[in-house]
Structures are given as C-alpha cells and as structure tokens.
Amino acid sequence: MGNEFAVCCGVDVGKWAHHVVAIDTETGEVLFDSKVDQSEREIRAALSPLCAAGKVRVVVDEPGPMSRLLFAVAKDMGMEIGFLTPRAMAKAIEMYGGDIKTDRRDATILAEVASGIPKLVKAVDEKTPERHRLAAIMSHDRELTAEVTRSANRLHALLLAVCPPLEELMAGKKIQGGLALLLLERYGGPCGLRAAGRGRAKRFVRSRKGFGGASGAKVDRVFDAISEQTLVLPGAEDLEDLIRMEARRLSSALESRKTVAKKRDAILEAIPEAEILMSMPGVGAVTCATFLAEVGDVTRFPTAAKLASYAGLSPKVRQSGRSVNSVTKPRGGNRRLKRVLVLSASKSILFCDESRKYYERKRAEGRCYNSSITALARKRLDVMYAMLRDGNKYKKK
C-alpha cells in the first residue's frame, strides 16, 4: 500500500528541544536529522524546506502539552499531524531490537513506521477553541484534586500525631470543611486552641463571613475532643506550626478548585453538546467536561462500539482453534474517560430507575459489582453517543 505523504517527519518531543527526523517515503532518504529548539522560529526553519518535496506528515509519540506548539506550527504550514499510541510505539521499538534509547533513534522509528505502515498513525483530534480550553482546565483540575487529597492526608497524619480525638472528629472530608480549616489555620491544634480558649475561638469564628449561630456548637465539639487528651505529646508545638501551614495550603487548593469550577461551568455554557449530555441522570459538570475534553467531536467515531473501545469499555474476546472463548476485562483505552464514566454509572443507580434495573439484571446474571457497573457504563455510553449524534436530550423510557 502506497503512502499519500511525500515526507514523514518523526519527532521525539521534549520540554526544551525536539529531535526531528524526516524521511522521503518513496526513496527512504533522510531529508532532515537534527535537534530543534522548542520555539516557533526554530520549528518553522526546520520544517519549511520539507514542503518542497510535497505533502508532509508530522508524527509524534506524545501528543500532549509538549507537542502543542509543534502541532500548531505544522498545521499553520499546511502539514498533517498524527501520533503513535504507546502500544504501537513499544512494538515498533521491540521490532527494531536493541536496548539503546536515544531521542534520535525514537524519532527515526517514528518516521520509518509512519512511512512504511501509515495505518498505524492515529489522527490527532481537532478540538474547537472551547474544547481546548476545557481540556486545559480539566487537566489543571485533576492536579488540584490530587493536591487536595495529598494535603488532606498530610493534615490527617499531623493531627493524629498531636491529638487522635481531634483527628477522629475531622475524619474523612470533614477536614475540608470551612470551620475546621479556619480553626486549624488560626490555632494549629490542641495547644493553640487551649491557649486561645473556647470563648475567643467562638468570637473569632462568628466574626468571619459565612459562619452563623450553628458554628458555636461546632466549636464546642472541637474543644470537647481536645479535652479528652490531657497530655501534650512530644514535639506537639512544632507539629502545630506544620498544621497551620498545611491547613493554609489545603484551603488555597480548595479555593483554586472553586475558581477552576467557575471557569469550567462558563465554558460548558458555550458548548451546545454540554446541555445534551447533562440531561442524562448521573452526568454532572465534571463528567460532562471530561467527556467533551477527551472525546472531542463524537462524529469522528463511526459507531458507539468504536467510542467504547477508545474509552476502554469494550471487553476483549480471545479464541484460538477449538479453545473455549475467553472474555476478559479491558485494560487499555482512555483511562480518564473510563474513570468518569464508571463513577457516573455507579452514582446513577441511586436515583435513575433505568440504570438501577440494568444493574440489578447484570447482578442477577451472576456478575460481580465491578463487572455490573462497567457493563452499565458501556450501556450509558451507547446512549450518550446516540444523544450527541442525533442532538436529542435524554428521555426516560
């Protein structure tokens, strides 16, 4: 099978520089082989001479933030862009043999695979500006969510080291509550709280915006918890300084998440498909935003089954000769998309009759909880695909 591109350009991307190898698909001649700085001027200078040979395709192995400028320049110059999946790249490296790992070798492999087996190259989804913004915001939100979890875990560990009863009172996500963080930021722990006194702590909380009369009872519960421990554990004062610092960090991360959520919601209002998706029970702003950012234009998938495969929700069937068929759990696909779809499905059984009935039917067939929820997520994905394809909101049967 011939290659429609005259030149295939393999790029091993990096933070500050890319290694670029360009190959003439007809003769196999190497047209370019050099490091290129991560700047528009340098990228244009490297790619411009290739246009004289004909149609050019630029292929990378990591279509992420590091390749955004490269893709933008290539598209502006009229070139096609694509990438190899991690699995295809790993197979290609194995096929070439050897255990040498260099940027030049990876770029050469990308260029030669794109030239010799063009069907392995996947097209990069063309997102609208709103979806690009949504993808960037959701990526940042995931980082903030991870930071909130890490900070909360550190705070739990510090409280446990100075006053276990206080940590128990603020167990789980209670520590992320406004009053808990307000007290921890101000007073640190039991030593700081005892020094301030119950009355002063109550007056301080009531002076802050958003805390009403019920805050007094909550402060009482905090002081009741620290009163259960009369001993001051060694190093408590130093640890309470760390508690103040960690509480401020957690509070800042939570505020940042609120700001990001406002930006996310504003973008979703500008995307017509968002209203369609969110009409489905169990699809909230996070699920909707992740879906739109990861999937892009749903019409690039010819069928719902193709979309399910991309999301990692299609089971693998293995058969060889007369052996018994084996259906195994899918392990590939887009993990971020799969995660939100499965979480959405698990929540939907609590208030959606259709989801609950389907889930109960799968459990009656002998499936475990995880298998039943995954099957439900696949079923709901089929419905979401049809909704977006036809432009119709969710309707109960």
Side-chain angles (χ1 to χ4, degrees), residues 29-105:
E29 178 187 358
V30 176
L31 304 177
F32 187 89
D33 182 355
S34 179
K35 282 275 188 184
V36 176
D37 289 341
Q38 172 82 294
S39 70
E40 180 181 351
R41 182 175 61 83
E42 294 295 327
I43 294 173
R44 283 187 184 277
L47 298 182
S48 293
L50 304 178
C51 297
K55 198 173 182 181
V56 181
R57 188 180 216 180
V58 176
V59 181
V60 304
D61 65 340
E62 193 173 342
M66 290 189 294
S67 57
R68 290 188 66 183
L69 178 60
L70 171 69
F71 282 168
V73 174
K75 287 170 59 180
D76 186 62
M77 297 175 69
M79 298 178 178
E80 297 288 329
I81 56 177
F83 70 100
L84 288 187
T85 64
R87 177 175 295 183
M89 187 62 184
K91 291 290 186 183
I93 292 174
E94 181 181 353
M95 179 180 66
Y96 275 78
D99 55 0
I100 299 174
K101 172 71 172 71
T102 65
D103 295 343
R104 181 179 184 277
R105 185 171 185 269

Side-chain angles (χ1 to χ4, degrees), residues 22-262:
I23 294 178
D24 187 308
T25 58
E26 184 175 350
T27 65
E29 178 187 358
V30 176
L31 304 177
F32 187 89
D33 182 355
S34 179
K35 282 275 188 184
V36 176
D37 289 341
Q38 172 82 294
S39 70
E40 180 181 351
R41 182 175 61 83
E42 294 295 327
I43 294 173
R44 283 187 184 277
L47 298 182
S48 293
L50 304 178
C51 297
K55 198 173 182 181
V56 181
R57 188 180 216 180
V58 176
V59 181
V60 304
D61 65 340
E62 193 173 342
M66 290 189 294
S67 57
R68 290 188 66 183
L69 178 60
L70 171 69
F71 282 168
V73 174
K75 287 170 59 180
D76 186 62
M77 297 175 69
M79 298 178 178
E80 297 288 329
I81 56 177
F83 70 100
L84 288 187
T85 64
R87 177 175 295 183
M89 187 62 184
K91 291 290 186 183
I93 292 174
E94 181 181 353
M95 179 180 66
Y96 275 78
D99 55 0
I100 299 174
K101 172 71 172 71
T102 65
D103 295 343
R104 181 179 184 277
R105 185 171 185 269
D106 287 350
T108 302
I109 291 173
L110 284 166
E112 292 186 355
V113 169
S115 176
I117 319 176
K119 68 177 183 180
L120 291 181
V121 179
K122 304 295 183 182
V124 177
D125 178 31
E126 297 293 329
K127 294 187 176 77
T128 62
E130 289 80 10
R131 293 181 194 245
H132 270 299
R133 292 174 59 203
L134 200 57
I137 283 178
M138 293 311 295
S139 176
H140 189 60
D141 183 66
R142 285 190 294 272
E143 293 293 333
L144 288 174
T145 302
E147 177 57 30
V148 166
T149 301
R150 288 192 295 267
S151 187
N153 289 340
R154 288 193 293 264
L155 206 46
H156 279 300
L158 289 168
L159 287 176
L160 193 60
V162 297
C163 184
L166 183 58
E167 193 278 334
E168 183 180 2
L169 180 68
M170 299 180 178
K173 288 193 174 183
K174 293 178 184 177
I175 204 168
Q176 298 180 26
L179 187 139
L181 284 178
L182 186 65
L183 291 175
L184 295 177
E185 281 187 66
R186 177 79 171 186
Y187 303 113
C191 294
L193 286 165
R194 289 193 187 98
R198 192 183 299 246
R200 183 181 295 177
K202 285 185 177 181
R203 289 193 295 273
F204 167 70
V205 170
R206 287 170 181 163
S207 69
R208 312 298 290 184
K209 185 177 180 181
F211 296 96
S215 61
K218 295 179 180 178
V219 173
D220 284 333
R221 286 196 288 272
V222 170
F223 275 86
D224 291 343
I226 65 174
S227 66
E228 295 179 19
Q229 179 178 309
T230 58
L231 294 175
V232 177
L233 300 180
E237 292 186 1
D238 292 331
L239 292 179
E240 290 196 11
D241 289 338
L242 296 179
I243 288 174
R244 293 186 185 93
M245 181 175 64
E246 202 59 56
R248 286 193 290 269
R249 182 180 288 120
L250 178 55
S251 180
S252 176
L254 289 170
E255 285 299 319
S256 296
R257 283 206 72 197
K258 290 180 182 179
T259 302
V260 168
K262 290 179 181 178

